[in-house]
Amino acid sequence: MTYSNKKIADVAAELEKRIKTLDDKSSILRATELRALYAEIPTLPEEKRADFGKEINVLKDYLQKLVDQAQDEQEAAEPIDVTAPFDRNIPKAERPRLLSSKFGSKHPLMSELERVLAIFYRMGFTAVESRQLDDDYHMFETLNFPEGHPARDDYDTFMTSEGLVAPAHTSTMQNRVLSTYKANLEKGEAISVVIPGRVFRNEDLDARHEHTFYQLEGVYVDEGVTVGNLIATLKTFLETYFSQQLEVKTQPYYFPFTEPSFEFAISCPFCKKQGCSVCSQSGWIELLGCGLIHPNVLKMAGIDPEKYTGFAWGMGIDRMVMMKQNIEDVRHFESGKLEFLRQF
Ligand code: DAH
């Protein structure tokens, strides 16, 4: 494929290279670079716009063809489904779009969460899902926020008239996971659990804030665990997830349930620290909160903090998916809008 415009040719070369390493190839059609080309059209002199636009469309059609081909190849490798309601010999692009439009498709948050979990499974973690209704004891007390603690205000959420809490974070599960898996420690094995879950906050809603979202918590405990282990684990996960080497940065922070506590940032995977719209021109993206589990939290689960130490983290899944799939408004996820969902 040749392009007369140098800028489009450069983007084409980059995207063709990148598509080979993506496991979700359809995400290439939402690449920042492609969107930037479209955004440039109105800034061009009027007589150049049509040609420029046409050439981007050629590139987009070509990428769509590569995506379809890759999907056909992937399907060819799958076992034959004799109940498929269409002729499987017809290439995917030529089939009626029944499958996505009539029968639905997986929600982008769920397919991304599956990718995230697959990486942690390979790293030896087990997954336990969090609850969507919990109590004050797990939301606060087991996490070292005694009654009246000012940090409780940072987790303003919804309550039922019976006093149950819609959890504001997946950390509500820490005590349960530590209590359940502490038998591992006695056998000389670590506790290594990730906890995906739906969480709720009393928020003023805008493009970056939603009352309902998803988090992934992680808990790791063993003898001699240090901040070094925390950083290495998260870096390994994030480099695998973004398929590239990253720089990481920690900054002191405060959470009642960890000591020390950190905010954890990575070098922007989209612009390699050059500055772009995803990282607000800073080159860095703050992704999660983490730290070494507070001795009181271990004690409350019946684990001896003199003998064992551990780390924990909590990260927002919605934000990761928004960055990766170029989604501009977090409210799309819970909107139930079919025009949004059918794009995935
Ligand atoms: N629960 C925190 C939040 O939602 C995130 C978090 C920070 C979780 C530090 C952790 C941690 O497990 O160690 O703001």
Side-chain angles (χ1 to χ4, degrees):
M1 197 65 61
T2 52
Y3 300 90
S4 57
N5 184 289
K6 159 105 171 65
K7 212 170 211 171
I8 298 178
D10 286 348
V11 172
E14 165 61 26
L15 295 186
E16 276 179 49
K17 193 167 75 190
R18 198 183 310 159
I19 194 173
K20 298 204 180 97
T21 61
L22 287 174
D23 65 335
D24 171 17
K25 299 201 190 295
S26 66
S27 67
I28 202 79
L29 296 166
R30 294 182 291 277
T32 325
E33 291 88 340
L34 195 57
R35 285 157 50 110
L37 288 178
Y38 280 111
E40 202 170 321
I41 298 175
T43 70
L44 296 175
E46 213 152 311
E47 67 284 2
K48 299 225 163 121
R49 289 183 199 167
D51 284 345
F52 193 79
K54 268 188 216 143
E55 201 144 86
I56 310 173
N57 283 337
V58 170
L59 168 59
K60 187 155 183 222
D61 289 346
Y62 180 63
L63 291 172
Q64 179 75 56
K65 213 170 91 197
L66 293 182
V67 169
D68 289 341
Q69 263 170 13
Q71 280 169 344
D72 283 341
E73 274 163 29
Q74 191 190 343
E75 236 166 63
E78 287 167 8
I80 289 175
D81 174 4
V82 291
T83 67
F86 51 83
D87 181 348
R88 291 190 53 112
N89 296 317
I90 303 175
K92 195 159 193 179
E94 291 161 32
R95 285 180 205 158
R97 291 191 64 81
L98 269 184
L99 275 184
S100 59
S101 58
K102 189 163 166 208
F103 299 117
S105 54
K106 214 172 256 180
H107 192 284
L109 282 174
M110 289 303 112
S111 27
E112 214 57 38
L113 190 56
E114 281 172 13
R115 276 187 203 114
V116 167
L117 288 177
I119 299 172
F120 281 111
Y121 292 152
R122 269 180 272 149
M123 291 169 74
F125 283 79
T126 307
V128 174
E129 200 177 355
S130 77
R131 304 182 177 197
Q132 296 191 38
L133 207 51
D134 215 312
D135 52 32
D136 188 87
Y137 179 71
H138 289 93
M139 176 66 219
F140 293 119
E141 278 187 40
T142 58
L143 291 167
N144 201 33
F145 297 80
E147 183 88 53
H149 193 291
R152 284 188 175 214
D153 290 352
D154 296 337
Y155 300 88
D156 184 14
T157 178
F158 308 96
M159 292 184 87
T160 68
S161 46
E162 296 90 343
L164 293 172
V165 187
H169 53 179
T170 42
S171 307
T172 40
M173 293 297 289
Q174 283 200 15
N175 179 269
R176 292 193 185 92
V177 161
L178 292 171
S179 308
T180 306
Y181 288 93
K182 71 180 170 208
N184 285 14
L185 299 174
E186 283 140 31
K187 286 188 278 177
E189 292 165 17
I191 299 176
S192 52
V193 182
V194 284
I195 309 156
R198 197 176 203 201
V199 295
F200 308 88
R201 299 233 177 141
N202 179 12
E203 290 277 10
D204 287 331
L205 307 187
D206 61 28
R208 311 185 104 220
H209 298 91
E210 174 61 291
H211 51 68
T212 302
F213 55 102
Y214 286 80
Q215 283 190 335
L216 184 94
E217 187 91 4
V219 172
Y220 188 94
V221 181
D222 201 353
E223 277 184 59
V225 174
T226 66
V227 172
N229 301 122
L230 161 66
I231 293 174
T233 303
L234 291 174
K235 185 167 191 269
T236 305
F237 161 70
L238 290 161
E239 290 189 332
T240 313
Y241 181 71
F242 287 110
S243 311
Q244 59 184 280
Q245 293 196 330
L246 298 167
E247 283 175 55
V248 302
K249 194 159 81 166
T250 54
Q251 194 155 270
Y253 200 72
Y254 174 74
F255 299 106
F257 37 94
T258 41
E259 180 58 37
S261 306
F262 306 102
E263 273 184 336
F264 191 95
I266 55 171
S267 52
C268 179
F270 304 97
C271 65
K272 315 267 183 291
K273 276 173 57 190
Q274 296 307 299
C276 68
S277 60
V278 183
C279 60
S280 310
Q281 312 303 330
S282 73
W284 293 90
I285 296 180
E286 216 144 77
L287 269 188
L288 51 94
C290 58
L292 291 191
I293 302 175
H294 196 288
N296 288 349
V297 174
L298 292 175
K299 256 191 249 167
M300 261 187 275
I303 294 173
D304 178 4
E306 298 293 330
K307 183 154 185 213
Y308 299 102
T309 50
F311 60 79
W313 76 88
M315 71 186 185
I317 295 289
D318 304 58
R319 177 117 188 280
M320 302 255 291
V321 178
M322 285 172 77
M323 285 191 316
K324 206 168 150 193
Q325 304 278 27
N326 239 316
I327 296 167
E328 80 294 357
D329 192 324
V330 66
R331 291 168 295 187
H332 290 317
F333 288 134
E334 297 285 327
S335 69
K337 276 191 208 143
L338 292 178
E339 325 70 283
F340 171 70
L341 295 171
R342 280 182 185 145
Q343 294 180 48
F344 297 93

